[in-house]
Amino acid sequence: MSPLRPNGCQQALRAGQNRRSAALPPFPRPSRAGTAAVTLSAALSIGLGLTAPLSGAHAQTTAPGPASEAKVLPGKIVYAQLTTPDLAKAKAFYGGLLGWTFQDRAVSRGHYAEALVNGHVVAGLVERPLPNTDNPPHPLWLPFISAPDVSALAKSSRQWGAKVLFRPTMIQGRGEQAIIADPQGALFASLHAPHGDPNDTDPTVQGDWIWNALLTSTPSASAGFYQKLFGYQVEAAPAPDTNQRYILESQSVARATVNPLPPRLPPNARARWLSFVQVDNVGSTAEKAVQLGGRVLVEPHLDHQNSMIAVLADPAGAVFGVMELHDTGLAGDAK
């Protein structure tokens, strides 16, 4: 898998345009250039878990931080939120691993904290006990995707087969948000922040989210769903990938990839989003994750465009990826 900084994608797409498959039946070919091919290999054999719908505990959070310009970038993944049964343990893990600092926020019930990197908020962490069952759902990282009208988006999502798990609600200090399960079961949140979204030119540093990938048994249908919902332009991933991997682009910037489920998962497994954090050294980060009580699900490895990735789980089982970028102007896929 090749990560690309969203603001460093233009040259990679231009270089790869002639290598794309000519056939993209479900989607019109994008008219704008300037995306990057970032693909997640089907070799990622991850037992990701899905959690029950979020509620209550995150109802009084604050904004992810002021944007440099108050403009909305529909389709940009602007934030992430973790639901975890042990907030103190999660803070110790991510603080020790990624250098995140935290500020606690008062909520109507439960406990909530914001994670910061260099003074800007990168994530929210919600403490929520796991249900007392024999097979409780795993904690999960939830991506937040920017939208100009969350209520309209939620209504449209239902028409196209999705389920609205947390209805559109205005959150003080953050904006309107909703939590949705797409037709294949992948959870995501939609957010309209009145203060606008971070610019694509904002620098990405150690501890920032850098990439997102959707793993699904139906890449073509899933790409079509998100295209209709967020207005993405859809590109087929360039060679050597197959036509079952797609790039989601908005504002001429690559936002995410849609990829087949790993082969070790059953074909009827629910889809899931996987988010990646930028780190300075993937190998040492993976080692430290184990020391801090986490697990390495996909060992650190070099992609063919000279970027390192690994997939980790925190002590409670929430899955996320880490990336080490060596060349932000090239594209590739996971080995």
Side-chain angles (χ1 to χ4, degrees):
M1 155 150 206
S2 271
L4 285 207
R5 226 177 279 242
N7 58 321
C9 298
Q10 284 76 4
Q11 289 182 346
L13 174 63
R14 294 189 185 104
Q17 281 178 330
N18 293 333
R19 297 183 295 162
R20 288 197 189 93
S21 167
L24 246 184
F27 319 107
R29 181 169 293 282
S31 59
R32 290 178 294 176
T35 185
V38 187
T39 57
L40 186 65
S41 169
L44 297 184
S45 301
I46 308 163
L48 299 179
L50 295 175
T51 188
L54 303 180
S55 62
H58 65 293
Q60 296 294 327
T61 64
T62 60
S68 49
E69 291 183 20
K71 62 182 178 182
V72 176
L73 301 174
K76 181 170 184 175
I77 300 175
V78 294
Y79 190 65
Q81 185 166 279
L82 173 69
T83 302
T84 180
D86 192 327
L87 181 59
K89 185 176 291 187
K91 288 162 69 174
F93 176 80
Y94 289 102
L97 187 70
L98 303 174
W100 287 356
T101 58
F102 300 91
Q103 53 188 17
D104 295 326
R105 295 292 186 181
V107 291
S108 56
R109 61 175 180 173
H111 302 282
Y112 180 87
E114 293 173 333
L116 297 90
V117 172
N118 292 345
H120 69 273
V121 178
V122 294
L125 288 78
V126 179
E127 185 173 80
R128 185 167 184 261
L130 295 177
N132 187 19
T133 64
D134 293 336
N135 188 26
H138 292 175
L140 117 150
W141 277 105
L142 185 74
F144 280 63
I145 309 175
S146 177
D149 188 332
V150 172
S151 294
L153 183 141
K155 182 179 180 180
S156 296
S157 74
R158 288 194 295 266
Q159 295 173 351
W160 294 322
K163 296 180 180 179
V164 177
L165 305 182
F166 185 89
R167 69 181 184 276
T169 303
M170 186 63 66
I171 307 299
Q172 183 179 3
R174 176 180 290 176
E176 189 177 29
Q177 67 181 45
I179 297 176
I180 298 169
D182 75 16
Q184 283 70 45
L187 300 184
F188 67 95
S190 179
L191 172 70
H192 175 73
H195 52 74
D197 298 325
N199 284 330
D200 291 320
T201 55
D202 291 349
T204 305
V205 299
Q206 157 94 11
D208 278 334
W209 299 103
I210 186 122
W211 191 249
N212 295 269
L214 175 67
L215 307 180
T216 173
S217 61
T218 58
S220 177
S222 293
F225 169 81
Y226 286 93
Q227 181 188 46
K228 289 184 290 186
L229 203 59
F230 291 98
Y232 286 122
Q233 294 181 333
V234 178
E235 295 277 355
D241 288 306
T242 71
N243 291 336
Q244 286 299 297
R245 292 181 174 85
Y246 301 100
I247 305 158
L248 303 181
E249 174 196 345
S250 65
Q251 298 87 45
S252 298
V253 175
R255 302 299 185 192
T257 44
V258 181
N259 309 279
L261 283 171
R264 293 184 187 177
L265 290 178
N268 62 345
R270 289 187 179 184
R272 66 286 314 272
W273 281 93
L274 178 63
S275 300
F276 286 79
V277 180
Q278 179 170 315
V279 298
D280 294 332
N281 188 298
V282 165
S284 62
T285 300
E287 292 178 0
K288 194 167 187 179
V290 175
Q291 295 170 4
L292 292 169
R295 292 179 294 139
V296 177
L297 303 183
V298 177
E299 292 289 341
H301 64 278
L302 187 69
D303 77 350
H304 71 258
Q305 295 293 357
N306 204 31
S307 294
M308 294 290 294
I309 70 166
V311 179
L312 311 176
D314 71 16
V319 176
F320 64 101
V322 290
M323 289 184 174
E324 174 190 341
L325 298 186
H326 293 194
D327 188 340
T328 60
L330 298 175
D333 66 350
K335 301 281 188 185

